[in-house]
Amino acid sequence: MAAVVEDLQVAEEDNYLFHFIKQKQTLTLHKMKKYIFLLFAGFTLSVAQAQEITDAVRYAQDNLNGTARFRAMSGAFGALGGDLSSININPAGSAVFSNNQIAITLSNYNTKNNSDYFGTKTTQKDNSFDPNQAGGVFVFKNQNSNGNWKKISLAINYENTNNFNNSLFSAGTNPTNSAANYFLYYANGVPLNTLENSTYGELDHGAQQAFLGYQGYVIDPVDSNNPNNTSYTSNVRPGGNYYQENNIYTKGYNGKLSFNAATSYKDKLYLGINLNSHFTDYTQSSSFYEDNNNTLDSNDRVNRLQFDNELYTHGTGFSFQIGAIAKITNEIRLGLAYESPTWYHLSDELSQKLVAVSSNTSGELPPDVVDPKITNYYAPYKLQTPSKFTGSFAYVFGKSGLISIDYAIKDYSNTKFQPENDSYYRDVNSYMSATLKSTNELRLGAEYKIKEWSLRGGYRYEQSPYKNATTIGDLNGYSAGLGYDFGSTKLDLAYSSAQRDSQQGFFSNGFTDGAKINSTNNNISLTLLFEL
């Protein structure tokens, strides 16, 4: 659907589908004043924004990434070590290496999202390539053969712990609710004279949403003659059956750079520590569209609208890990590891735009375009993600193969925005504590060697971080792979697939209807490893 807007030059910097085909009509003087008013608002200004539970969970969750061998065995390496990605589970794993190694991994991510919105089913796919892992380990052996401490290993490894490249499209007919409820949620309680006499950039986040709805004629004051009016009503055609579309495009990553040190005591006990530096870069572009064919009258009523948002979040963080691996016998190994919370320092940038089209029994009016051309730069904030405990067991069949099991516990209810004495963050933290829960994660992996070849497989299960298990459901994943040992060079290939259901509202407040999503993430990874 092409963007056709007569007599109004509306610059479309985004790539979203634009649904509006307009008829020539003369703007009322009141509407013209509003356009002139917005014309001079093209500057940036910092205002307060409301961070939400979905933002916290996004950075609290990790995906299964790493070397191809690690992924082929579904990450079940807590008691094994000997792989560069294993140190992200248990830092003692680097002391299992007998030689210096470096490795680099390239991955292909393929995501398929099936959406069901009031019975209408849609599918969206996304595909990307990413050099998601690179690192090396250096082993320093004790030259005294009688010493109990056999070696010290130092490692550095970078991984994308989460790939945010994704696209989601939902469409369907909502029988009752309009997106006008989103703007009403923020508008009720805001004085009319604030919305008439302020610029978008002067307002906080909530009042900005009310401003957009009012200036776009999506909502009207109950008493337009009272400047102190704080009650509003929807100006969307009543009658239900609102056709709605929601496009969400995300890109970016969570990166983790680990500095590792580990040691071996009598080749029976391995101890290690990681100091981790985290990097996040996330962009979410969303476009919501709504229209309806409900009965017209002499009043101007909105019959379609499009609401665009672009959020950019970036920042850094720090965490640490400690771990131990015990070789009970030549076959049996046990592992225990602790991962601290990640303490993030994050910054958000947000830009918004609303276009609404009204009509009456005389025809359709020109569009009301509310485009402040402002990027809100919000004050930096802190986020603390939950810690994690991992217990592991492995049974090694000599040089022919192995079986490994990891069990992890992570309490998402401990996720916190900071400072905690801030009244808003205190309320959000209390809500997260009541909404999120402690989760269990199980990873199983196996490997069987046939001369230079290695055959691998794995299974992964992770519980939902939400108590309702609906907002984000449980995850089930499978993996397989193979490797070939050329001697000092190894080549590993892995395939993994994970499925998860979710159902989150298109908007967080007021209008919280959302589609049921079934997501399938397929990954192919290739690792090239060199022994030095």
Side-chain angles (χ1 to χ4, degrees):
M1 289 167 281
V4 180
V5 180
E6 299 182 10
D7 295 341
L8 277 175
Q9 295 180 350
V10 181
E12 289 302 316
E13 291 83 6
D14 53 55
N15 293 319
Y16 303 133
L17 298 179
F18 201 71
H19 295 258
F20 305 111
I21 299 177
K22 314 297 189 260
Q23 297 179 1
K24 286 188 177 180
Q25 294 270 335
T26 303
L27 291 174
T28 64
L29 178 61
H30 186 54
K31 288 186 178 180
M32 286 299 295
K33 286 181 178 178
K34 288 187 177 181
Y35 285 122
I36 294 171
F37 180 70
L38 288 171
L39 184 62
F40 296 99
F43 55 88
T44 59
L45 187 66
S46 292
V47 293
Q49 188 206 10
Q51 281 76 35
E52 300 167 351
I53 185 172
T54 53
D55 301 309
V57 173
R58 180 187 308 124
Y59 302 109
Q61 287 185 300
D62 292 331
N63 205 345
L64 182 66
N65 279 296
T67 65
R69 183 180 181 224
F70 181 84
R71 296 198 68 137
M73 294 174 58
S74 290
F77 269 85
L80 290 174
D83 184 277
L84 277 165
S85 291
S86 73
I87 68 175
N88 282 326
I89 303 297
N90 190 333
S94 68
V96 177
F97 282 93
S98 56
N99 299 300
N100 302 337
Q101 290 188 9
I102 59 174
I104 185 169
T105 303
L106 175 68
S107 292
N108 171 253
Y109 297 88
N110 183 277
T111 302
K112 179 181 179 181
N113 292 308
N114 295 315
S115 173
D116 184 344
Y117 188 56
F118 289 101
T120 300
K121 295 178 172 59
T122 57
T123 298
Q124 190 83 349
K125 297 180 181 179
D126 189 83
N127 191 73
S128 63
F129 287 88
D130 182 25
N132 69 292
Q133 179 275 329
V137 60
F138 304 92
V139 180
F140 302 91
K141 297 179 180 179
N142 189 346
Q143 300 302 314
N144 181 3
S145 59
N146 296 321
N148 291 326
W149 298 96
K150 299 299 183 182
K151 56 187 169 183
I152 294 175
S153 62
L154 301 176
I156 182 170
N157 189 55
Y158 174 82
E159 290 188 4
N160 281 358
T161 58
N162 218 331
N163 184 314
F164 293 130
N165 294 342
N166 196 15
S167 57
L168 177 63
F169 174 72
S170 303
T173 300
N174 192 318
T176 55
N177 295 323
S178 165
N181 293 330
Y182 169 81
F183 301 102
L184 285 174
Y185 174 88
Y186 289 101
N188 285 319
V190 179
L192 176 60
N193 59 5
T194 298
L195 301 183
E196 289 188 323
N197 300 315
S198 301
T199 66
Y200 173 91
E202 293 173 334
L203 303 171
D204 64 20
H205 177 72
Q208 283 180 341
Q209 310 316 296
F211 177 90
L212 291 169
Y214 175 71
Q215 297 289 337
Y217 291 89
V218 177
I219 59 174
D220 279 337
V222 172
D223 184 358
S224 59
N225 296 317
N226 179 9
N228 295 318
N229 172 85
T230 56
S231 297
Y232 299 83
T233 185
S234 170
N235 194 38
V236 173
R237 284 188 197 172
N241 292 325
Y242 303 105
Y243 175 76
Q244 296 163 346
E245 293 182 0
N246 195 49
N247 281 280
I248 300 176
Y249 302 92
T250 61
K251 62 181 180 179
Y253 63 93
N254 260 357
K256 178 181 178 182
L257 181 63
S258 299
F259 299 91
N260 167 272
T263 187
S264 167
Y265 180 76
K266 293 185 176 181
D267 286 331
K268 296 291 184 180
L269 178 65
Y270 306 88
L271 304 172
I273 183 171
N274 285 352
L275 300 179
N276 305 312
S277 181
H278 298 258
F279 315 89
T280 189
D281 190 279
Y282 174 79
T283 300
Q284 176 180 290
S285 301
S286 63
S287 182
F288 179 87
Y289 169 78
E290 175 182 299
D291 68 33
N292 68 85
N293 295 314
N294 296 332
T295 304
L296 291 169
D297 56 32
S298 59
N299 297 313
D300 296 350
R301 297 284 189 180
V302 173
N303 62 293
R304 59 184 182 273
L305 62 85
Q306 180 167 308
F307 184 33
D308 297 340
N309 288 264
E310 181 157 323
L311 171 67
Y312 174 51
T313 301
H314 56 95
T316 59
F318 171 79
S319 69
F320 69 88
Q321 294 166 271
I322 55 175
I325 297 175
K327 185 185 291 186
I328 307 301
T329 67
N330 287 333
E331 294 80 20
I332 297 175
R333 300 178 185 182
L334 301 177
L336 182 63
Y338 168 77
E339 181 177 354
S340 77
T342 300
W343 295 276
Y344 279 110
H345 291 256
L346 302 173
S347 297
D348 289 349
E349 302 173 17
L350 177 69
S351 58
Q352 299 181 294
K353 177 181 177 180
L354 175 67
V355 179
V357 177
S358 300
S359 59
N360 54 40
T361 51
S362 299
E364 191 173 273
L365 301 175
D368 292 300
V369 182
V370 190
D371 186 4
K373 299 187 184 300
I374 283 179
T375 298
N376 294 307
Y377 293 87
Y378 301 107
Y381 59 97
K382 298 178 182 179
L383 173 66
Q384 177 182 313
T385 66
S387 59
K388 184 176 182 179
F389 290 91
T390 302
S392 308
F393 168 85
Y395 192 94
V396 180
F397 301 93
K399 295 183 179 181
S400 61
L402 58 89
I403 296 175
S404 181
I405 303 173
D406 283 5
Y407 173 76
I409 299 175
K410 191 173 185 178
D411 190 352
Y412 284 88
S413 66
N414 291 330
T415 307
K416 297 176 182 178
F417 286 108
Q418 296 175 337
E420 294 183 59
N421 59 2
D422 181 277
S423 60
Y424 175 77
Y425 288 151
R426 186 166 57 248
D427 291 342
V428 175
N429 291 341
S430 178
Y431 177 69
M432 288 196 293
S433 179
T435 304
L436 303 178
K437 67 175 183 179
S438 178
T439 65
N440 301 306
E441 182 180 0
L442 179 67
R443 297 188 298 271
L444 306 175
E447 182 179 57
Y448 182 71
K449 295 184 178 181
I450 306 172
K451 296 183 179 181
E452 289 81 11
W453 290 93
S454 297
L455 305 179
R456 301 165 183 138
Y459 169 75
R460 176 189 177 202
Y461 169 77
E462 183 178 344
Q463 285 185 314
S464 165
Y466 285 82
K467 289 181 179 179
N468 62 18
T470 300
T471 306
I472 296 177
D474 296 340
L475 179 146
N476 282 278
Y478 301 88
S479 59
L482 53 86
Y484 189 84
D485 189 348
F486 294 92
S488 60
T489 303
K490 296 179 181 179
L491 188 65
D492 296 316
L493 180 68
Y495 167 79
S496 61
S497 180
Q499 288 194 0
R500 191 167 223 165
D501 295 333
S502 62
Q503 185 172 8
Q504 301 187 40
F506 294 153
F507 299 97
S508 57
N509 294 303
F511 178 70
T512 57
D513 293 341
K516 297 177 182 179
I517 307 297
N518 173 261
S519 298
T520 301
N521 297 296
N522 297 309
N523 176 275
I524 298 175
S525 296
L526 182 67
T527 297
L528 185 60
L529 185 148
F530 302 94
E531 291 188 359
L532 305 177

